[in-house]
Amino acid sequence: MEEIRSLLTAYVTEGEPPIGLSGEGILSAARLARRRQLLTGAAALAVVALALGLAVVVLPHRSGVATAPCPTASDTRAALVDRLSCVVGRAVRRLLPPDAQITRLTIPGEVPPADPFRLIADPAGDEPRDALFHMGVRVTDARGTGSVYVLMVPSRNSGGPPCNERGEIVCRREPAPQGLLWLSTLRAGDTLTHRVALATPDAVVQFWSNDSGVLEQAGVSLPKQRPEPALTLEQVRELALTPGLNF
């Protein structure tokens, strides 16, 4: 967890542009910390899994949940995660085909949450907003399998990802009511990624979508599993501008 704290604290407190936050370094640090936690808690998880396997749970009928308003509280980190997860999940689902299968992208040994859009909040401070909020989902439809990711970081500046990155096909900036948008299309090996970042005075929100259903990890080449990313660049832009993604 110290790796995440040191990386995020620099972004949150030092006023430097949060360049590369959609890249692999900081997410890899988060995944490494969670992998360590999962290994140390393996025995406890086995006991819980056994207990759940022996139990029969009857859930109430959940009709109308999809149209119920998202939570509005942000006074605790848990409440903030609840609200942002709801907003992100509804925004992504709205852009996908009705028959698309959505599953959580997880590291080995990690138990996926019941809600595939449940955000992970890796702490970088004591305030609810002082964290790296992120998650990724695998999307499978008639055209194959791809992914959608989100990364949200509090920041006191308006920096965004740089242009002229390796493998860049398209990169442009444009103003938005909330701040400034960075839109880019990148190729790494056979994989194509559409990425959009919205930089506001107090946060950077990034969404990206690619054409592989394999979890992004540093130094790992992803297999192409569909003709194009799960979402178009314009759809990813729409996600970045989703109302309610404020801290």
Side-chain angles (χ1 to χ4, degrees), residues 101-107 136-141 143-149 190-193 209-217 220-230:
Q101 297 180 1
I102 303 169
T103 55
R104 180 62 166 251
L105 287 165
T106 59
I107 61 174
V137 293
R138 180 183 298 107
V139 177
T140 303
D141 57 27
R143 296 191 51 85
T145 300
S147 302
V148 178
Y149 294 85
D190 294 332
T191 305
L192 194 69
T193 299
S209 179
N210 63 31
D211 49 14
S212 179
V214 176
L215 178 69
E216 288 188 5
Q217 298 185 74
V220 177
S221 297
L222 302 180
K224 182 181 180 69
Q225 297 179 318
R226 58 181 294 129
E228 69 289 305

Side-chain angles (χ1 to χ4, degrees), residues 10-149:
Y11 285 123
V12 173
T13 63
E14 292 181 7
E16 293 296 328
I19 292 174
L21 284 177
S22 65
E24 297 161 341
I26 201 163
L27 290 181
S28 294
R31 290 169 186 144
L32 177 61
R34 291 205 308 283
R35 185 176 288 112
R36 290 170 178 164
Q37 292 173 342
L38 288 167
L39 289 174
T40 57
L45 285 176
V47 172
V48 172
L50 177 61
L52 290 175
L54 296 175
V56 177
V57 180
V58 179
L59 297 177
H61 184 58
R62 300 183 64 83
S63 62
V65 171
T67 57
C70 287
T72 58
S74 300
D75 54 330
T76 65
R77 186 165 292 149
L80 185 56
V81 167
D82 286 343
R83 178 172 68 79
L84 293 175
S85 299
C86 179
V87 173
V88 168
R90 292 190 183 182
V92 175
R93 288 183 190 277
R94 188 164 50 245
L95 297 174
L96 296 175
D99 59 346
Q101 297 180 1
I102 303 169
T103 55
R104 180 62 166 251
L105 287 165
T106 59
I107 61 174
E110 185 177 9
V111 179
D115 176 10
F117 293 100
R118 179 75 180 178
L119 291 170
I120 297 167
D122 292 314
D126 297 328
E127 294 298 319
R129 69 189 301 273
D130 293 339
L132 170 75
F133 298 88
H134 62 98
M135 69 86 201
V137 293
R138 180 183 298 107
V139 177
T140 303
D141 57 27
R143 296 191 51 85
T145 300
S147 302
V148 178
Y149 294 85

